[in-house]
Amino acid sequence: MTEVKREVFGQMPREEGGGVVEKFVLKSDSVKVEILSLGCIIAALEMKDRDGEFSDVVLGFDTLEGYTGKHPYFGAVVGRVANRIAKGRFTVDGKEYQLFLNNGPNSLHGGAKGFDKVLWSPEILPDGVCFYRLSPDGEEGYPGDLKVWVTYTLSGGELAINYRAQTSKTTPINLTNHAYFNLAGQGSQDIYDHEISIEADSYLPVDDTNIPTGEVATVQGTSFDLRQPVVLGKHLQKFRLDGFDHNFCLQQAQARRLVGRAHHPPTGRAMEVHTTQPGIQFYTANFLDGSLKGKGAVTYPKHSAFCLETQNWPDAVNKPQFPNTLLRPGEEYNHTTWFVFSTA
């Protein structure tokens, strides 16, 4: 059985429209997860190690002020379009749209005030919580009134996140959760002793602004071949990599499938990622620099977490050969990702 509790987490600043931010605590015998009504943020996720000791394995903040300040999307649902859109421009049905540029020459994770920075309306479920919001036509430059539902449910060691959306005008949409994980426990200095594997035969090479070039490249014989588990630190050294921030191309199926795994041998903690999405962005927190103080006043240096963000391919709205990212009136966007936490 999953226990669901709600409590007040804080009050939004007046200039942000005020409003109460709630925290929802979902608890099973092996996992406890805390989710905020601001940005549908996973603020904490505690899981057992092989000795039965609980640790929080996601980065974040103890107070609301951390989340209302500038931070790299810790734990948040990002949208309307996660990842990057080249030059913040796209054309739908012959009309060109221009978005705010917030990542060099590109638009990233929904723009200046994306889904991560707004309050959602919560509804408690027997085993979780469903968040709803209406993103109005023209918000951040995107067309159409977009109704969005994000539902978190916990069953034993499995956390499911379902994303649904409906629109009044054709719009690009790509939703993901941007949780930063460290299975040694948040605040641990790096993730070099983690074993990572990703079930992908190809990946997307990017230009110097992190926009895919359009090529779909094989992972065979490259540093991107993660089909067998690699120890992350040794792998980065071997290939002289600064880290990963790349989309891995998954088997194109709408069905649930296992797409990635992380394992931390010292604690025995393991996490599987299953999804219906066509891609997964593997990011090794290359832009963390120790300047942010997180939970328990710890700092978060570079490579102190990893993200496995299930999503559509970056800049798909401008690349017709990529999986379709347009949602049309009368259709429903519906994707689910499952994180399965265990000890081995």
Side-chain angles (χ1 to χ4, degrees), residues 34 36 41-46 56-62 67 71-76 177-191 194 283-285 287-290 292-296 298-307:
E34 300 180 0
L36 306 181
I41 287 169
I42 296 176
L45 195 151
E46 295 181 16
D56 184 359
V57 296
V58 296
L59 277 55
F61 303 102
D62 290 320
Y67 292 109
H71 70 94
Y73 308 96
F74 284 147
N177 179 284
H178 208 312
Y180 285 67
F181 293 98
N182 187 323
L183 299 182
Q186 73 87 30
S188 300
Q189 285 301 289
D190 62 60
I191 45 170
H194 284 55
Y283 174 53
T284 50
F287 295 110
L288 289 182
D289 58 6
L292 282 176
K293 265 203 168 46
K295 290 179 272 197
V298 295
T299 54
Y300 295 140
K302 181 176 177 172
H303 297 163
S304 60
F306 65 89
C307 305

Side-chain angles (χ1 to χ4, degrees), residues 198-200 248-252 257 259 275 277-280 313:
I198 296 176
E199 302 279 329
F248 287 76
C249 309
L250 306 174
Q251 176 201 339
Q252 302 297 294
R257 60 226 183 276
V259 297
T275 193
Q277 290 273 26
I280 187 165
W313 301 4

Side-chain angles (χ1 to χ4, degrees), residues 7 92 173 223 264 285:
E7 55 193 64
V92 172
I173 180 171
S223 60
H264 184 244

Side-chain angles (χ1 to χ4, degrees), residues 219-235:
V219 300
Q220 184 74 42
T222 74
S223 60
F224 295 91
D225 192 345
L226 305 176
R227 292 173 295 189
Q228 295 300 315
V230 302
V231 179
L232 198 55
K234 286 181 179 156
H235 189 77

Side-chain angles (χ1 to χ4, degrees), residues 26-66:
L26 317 184
K27 194 169 177 231
S28 71
D29 54 356
S30 58
V31 172
K32 177 178 153 188
V33 57
E34 300 180 0
I35 305 155
L36 306 181
S37 57
L38 171 68
C40 305
I41 287 169
I42 296 176
L45 195 151
E46 295 181 16
M47 66 178 294
K48 289 176 179 173
D49 65 9
R50 69 165 64 86
D51 300 323
E53 293 290 313
F54 277 93
S55 275
D56 184 359
V57 296
V58 296
L59 277 55
F61 303 102
D62 290 320
T63 61
L64 181 58
E65 287 67 39

